[in-house]
Amino acid sequence: MLGFVSGGCAVLLLAWSATVCAQTVTIRGKVSALKDQDLIVAIPNGEVKATLTDQTVVRAEQPIKFSEIVPGMYLGTTATKQADGNFLASEVHVFSEDQRGTGEGHRP
């Protein structure tokens, strides 16, 4: 499960990943509809239709309290580098254990 904390506000989103031609595509948005194997996701500039298969991985974000973050959790942050060289986090993501080791590192 993926948690999301942002400036004291909680947002419920869907993160969907699928392998298409050996490429992973991630769609983040709000679920609009589900009909048979077709999932419709509302994104900022419209809607996206995703056909679900037995290989599709669906992860949902849910709010958690800052006090629920404990040592050993696999975390990621959205952060901005400050003038003093430190980073100021605007979001903290709590990833599931099966995601540990994927996508680690810092990206500008």
Side-chain angles (χ1 to χ4, degrees):
M1 187 140 325
L2 180 64
F4 178 80
V5 179
S6 176
C9 296
V11 179
L12 177 61
L13 299 170
L14 171 84
W16 172 78
S17 296
T19 303
V20 180
C21 300
Q23 180 180 0
T24 299
V25 177
T26 300
I27 301 168
R28 290 181 59 145
K30 210 172 176 185
V31 174
S32 296
L34 176 63
K35 183 177 181 187
D36 299 321
Q37 289 182 283
D38 292 332
L39 178 67
I40 309 300
V41 180
I43 58 174
N45 58 343
E47 289 188 335
V48 175
K49 180 177 102 173
T51 301
L52 306 177
T53 71
D54 59 348
Q55 300 296 311
T56 303
V57 175
V58 177
R59 301 190 188 277
E61 294 183 350
Q62 68 182 35
I64 65 168
K65 295 177 184 169
F66 189 73
S67 62
E68 294 177 281
I69 298 174
V70 297
M73 284 182 147
Y74 183 45
L75 303 176
T77 63
T78 301
T80 307
K81 193 170 188 176
Q82 303 299 293
D84 65 0
N86 288 312
F87 288 89
L88 176 64
S90 57
E91 296 178 0
V92 176
H93 303 271
V94 180
F95 296 101
S96 58
E97 269 307 306
D98 67 322
Q99 293 179 286
R100 188 178 291 274
T102 62
E104 289 187 12
H106 172 73
R107 290 174 245 342

